[in-house]
């Protein structure tokens, strides 16, 4: 049966150690899918699948840039505004990379926004700020990992449904964040952290937050597409029972994936602290919606078994650009949420049609 083309293809981690099954007779539909990377061109030989979906997202992004340039040419196309768009995309983008891994494995994480909030407020308490830059970074990452560990243990070894476990984490982390702050904003006073958000720290005009996002994206792409961990992630999402029979420790793999999601949330919390200069219990509001939406419209299959980091990043850029255009044109935030909801529905419908056609 022909599998849908994707950035991360399903396959067993120990394929090299097993004998190949008999090759079925080629058909018209399978001939093109069986082409080697070299036969598909230089870009695909690098593993970058510029499929129709990614090209469509690039087209949407280009159209949004044109719309922004027409409606607010002096503001939207200003260098400072473009830097702001990329900086804002960096925070949710890092979260989306982790979410892409989780969804590819057939899971879901509704707690990412709450984890970002908890990590940001815990890392900006007066006690933590006494340890300076390292203390804030360390605390944000450890809190994120801790929340991811709890999620992973509940799902992988506790047998809880990911939706329920992460929903419980969402409520608990939000409540703890509110308790830590008592509803107040915690101002960051560590200059070495604040300095990363000013133009003087930009490298060749690129904000440090964008460079971190780029690094996380590259690492995420390599892990998903060029490592055994990535192949196991796709295998678990495609068919967990088959992955188990192939020798993959499915429970341990799922634990690692939620740890990875928590790590990304911790990194995103630190980036948000730099961007906002403070920690608030309201940080990360609706990040779960944005991350899931960006991953889905980017081509990651909601039911698992297929994931694409490149598509997820393009999805993040599309949503961030929409938000920026709406803000510049003084459109209300509720209209933004309606637009995002419509995009999510459209993306899921397209996915279902694609999968149905692929299985036909």
């Amino acid at each position: 049966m022909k599998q849908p083309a994707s950035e991360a293809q399903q396959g067993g981690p120990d394929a090299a150690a097993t004998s190949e099954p008999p090759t079925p007779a080629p058909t018209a539909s399978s001939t093109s899918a069986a082409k080697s990377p070299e036969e598909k061109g230089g870009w695909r030989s690098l593993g970058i699948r510029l499929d129709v979906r990614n090209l469509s997202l690039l087209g949407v992004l280009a159209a949004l840039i044109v719309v922004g340039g027409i409606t607010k040419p002096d503001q939207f196309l200003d260098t400072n505004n473009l830097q702001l768009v990329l900086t804002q995309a960096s925070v949710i983008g890092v979260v989306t990379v982790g979410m892409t891994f989780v969804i590819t494995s057939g899971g879901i994480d509704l707690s990412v926004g709450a984890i970002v909030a908890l990590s940001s407020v815990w890392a900006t308490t007066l006690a933590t700020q006494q340890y300076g830059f390292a203390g804030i970074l360390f605390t944000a990452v450890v809190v994120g990992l801790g929340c991811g560990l709890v999620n992973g243990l509940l799902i992988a070894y506790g047998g809880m449904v990911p939706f329920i476990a992460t929903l419980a984490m969402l409520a608990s982390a939000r409540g703890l964040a509110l308790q830590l702050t008592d509803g107040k904003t915690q101002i960051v006073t560590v200059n070495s952290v604040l300095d990363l958000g000013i133009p003087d720290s930009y490298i060749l005009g690129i904000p440090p937050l964008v460079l971190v996002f780029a690094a996380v994206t590259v690492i995420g792409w390599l892990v998903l597409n060029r490592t055994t961990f990535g192949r196991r992630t796709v295998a678990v999402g495609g068919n967990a029972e088959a992955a188990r029979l192939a020798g993959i420790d499915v429970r341990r793999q799922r634990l690692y994936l939620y740890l990875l999601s928590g790590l990304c949330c911790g990194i995103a919390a630190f980036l948000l602290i730099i961007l906002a200069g403070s920690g608030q219990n309201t940080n990360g509001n609706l990040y779960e919606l944005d991350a899931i939406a960006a991953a889905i419209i980017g081509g990651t299959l909601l039911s698992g078994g297929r994931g694409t980091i490149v598509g997820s990043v393009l999805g993040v850029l599309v949503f961030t650009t929409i938000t920026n255009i709406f803000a510049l044109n003084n459109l209300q935030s509720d209209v933004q949420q309606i637009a995002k909801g419509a995009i999510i529905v459209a993306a899921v419908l397209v996915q279902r049609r694609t999968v149905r056609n692929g299985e036909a």
Side-chain angles (χ1 to χ4, degrees), residues 156-295:
Y157 294 95
M160 292 187 67
V161 177
F163 182 91
I164 300 300
T166 57
L167 185 62
M169 176 58 71
L170 182 155
S172 301
R174 283 288 178 193
L176 183 54
L178 178 60
Q179 186 177 51
L180 286 174
T181 61
D182 195 23
K184 300 176 183 178
T185 299
Q186 299 178 162
I187 305 299
V188 177
T189 58
V190 180
N191 291 329
S192 57
V193 173
L194 298 175
D195 289 345
L196 293 176
I198 62 177
D200 290 342
S201 66
Y202 291 3
I203 301 174
L204 299 177
I206 303 175
L209 277 69
V210 178
L211 295 176
V212 173
F213 175 37
V216 171
T217 299
V218 171
I219 294 172
W221 185 89
L222 290 173
V223 171
L224 184 60
N225 295 280
R226 291 292 182 268
T227 67
T228 300
F229 182 87
R231 292 191 293 273
R232 288 176 176 171
T233 299
V234 177
V236 170
N239 190 322
E241 180 62 18
R244 185 187 67 81
L245 293 175
I248 298 175
D249 190 331
V250 175
R251 293 190 299 178
R252 185 173 61 186
Q253 184 71 16
R254 285 175 174 161
L255 173 62
Y256 288 162
L257 288 166
Y258 282 95
L259 277 171
L260 176 60
S261 180
L263 172 63
C264 289
C265 289
I267 296 173
F270 182 71
L271 298 183
L272 190 58
I273 291 171
I274 296 173
L275 183 61
S278 63
Q280 303 177 54
N281 66 286
T282 56
N283 283 343
N285 186 36
L286 295 181
Y287 272 20
E288 54 277 358
L289 169 65
D290 291 341
I292 293 172

Side-chain angles (χ1 to χ4, degrees), residues 116-174:
V116 169
L118 179 59
S119 298
S120 69
V121 299
W122 207 322
T124 54
T125 60
L126 292 177
T128 302
Q129 292 194 50
Q130 292 179 356
Y131 295 95
F133 182 98
I136 294 176
L137 175 59
F138 177 79
T139 302
V141 170
V142 169
V143 172
L145 283 171
C147 293
L149 176 63
V150 173
N151 279 338
L153 290 175
L154 290 176
I155 294 168
Y157 294 95
M160 292 187 67
V161 177
F163 182 91
I164 300 300
T166 57
L167 185 62
M169 176 58 71
L170 182 155
S172 301
R174 283 288 178 193

Side-chain angles (χ1 to χ4, degrees), residues 287-326:
Y287 272 20
E288 54 277 358
L289 169 65
D290 291 341
I292 293 172
I296 292 174
I297 70 170
T300 298
L301 197 60
L302 189 59
S303 58
R306 184 181 71 196
T308 161
I309 298 296
V310 174
S312 295
V313 170
L314 290 175
V316 169
L317 293 176
V318 166
F319 278 125
T320 308
T321 304
I322 290 175
T323 301
N324 184 258
I325 293 175
F326 275 42

Side-chain angles (χ1 to χ4, degrees), residues 1-2 29 354-360:
M1 180 176 64
K2 176 184 174 183
S29 61
T354 301
V355 172
R356 189 182 301 114
N357 291 341
E359 293 177 348

